[in-house]
Amino acid sequence: MLKEKLKLRWAILCSGTSTDQKSNNISLFGITDQLNIKREFFNSLPENKKGYKIVPIKFELVTLWDKGSIENEIKFIAEVSFNDSNNKEVSKMTKELIIPSGMLRNRFVVNINALGIQKEGDYSFNIKALDPKSKGLTETYSTPLTVTLKD
């Protein structure tokens, strides 16, 4: 049932957002698909148990979900994983989201304070919606992030 209704229309990685309280319009700042890190700084960062350097950086991943109708509330579990260039999961978070009745679409923002980076390459934020009743996958989406190390 959820699979036929819920759609992830877009997901954008940016450095910040601002929502106008009167109009509910959102402004996205510093939209990015590439992260340049100074090699010297990168080499000085601590590693976690998995061998990834913990890069302190603030990003927001903004998503727009559409449920296809203003009728009925939809509850689902959003799963966002950050994957390295070998498609290996670096980190993951899940959160139950709700689009209430009377609303067709809703935006959700994921705040990111650090990323696990092992080397240069093409990383991605993979987004899934799971039906909380069946735990079945209903929607997937991927937003890229290219990481380069600069001298």
Side-chain angles (χ1 to χ4, degrees), residues 1-4 6 74-78 96 128-139:
M1 184 170 151
L2 187 61
K3 181 176 180 142
E4 295 155 3
L6 187 66
I74 286 188
K75 291 182 184 181
F76 61 99
I77 299 167
E96 184 175 87
K128 300 174 185 173
L130 305 170
D131 187 326
K133 293 176 186 166
S134 69
K135 301 290 190 226
L137 174 68
T138 62
E139 181 77 2

Side-chain angles (χ1 to χ4, degrees), residues 5 9 12 40-41 45 66 89 93 119 129 139:
K5 294 180 179 182
R9 295 297 183 189
I12 297 173
E40 184 178 345
F41 173 72
L45 294 171
D66 185 326
E89 188 177 279
M93 61 87 43
K119 60 183 180 180
E139 181 77 2

Side-chain angles (χ1 to χ4, degrees), residues 22-44:
K22 190 174 181 179
S23 66
N24 197 36
N25 288 336
I26 190 168
S27 296
L28 308 175
F29 304 103
I31 296 171
T32 189
D33 63 355
Q34 183 168 334
L35 175 61
N36 298 316
I37 306 170
K38 290 191 176 192
R39 191 177 308 276
E40 184 178 345
F41 173 72
F42 180 77
N43 291 336
S44 72

Side-chain angles (χ1 to χ4, degrees), residues 92-106:
K92 177 170 67 173
M93 61 87 43
T94 59
K95 182 174 182 166
E96 184 175 87
L97 301 177
I98 299 170
I99 303 176
S101 61
M103 290 183 70
L104 178 62
R105 291 180 290 277
N106 208 351

Side-chain angles (χ1 to χ4, degrees), residues 68-98:
S69 167
I70 63 169
E71 299 168 8
N72 300 323
E73 173 180 275
I74 286 188
K75 291 182 184 181
F76 61 99
I77 299 167
E79 178 182 284
V80 178
S81 64
F82 182 62
N83 292 28
D84 67 16
S85 54
N86 295 320
N87 205 28
K88 183 178 176 187
E89 188 177 279
V90 178
S91 60
K92 177 170 67 173
M93 61 87 43
T94 59
K95 182 174 182 166
E96 184 175 87
L97 301 177
I98 299 170

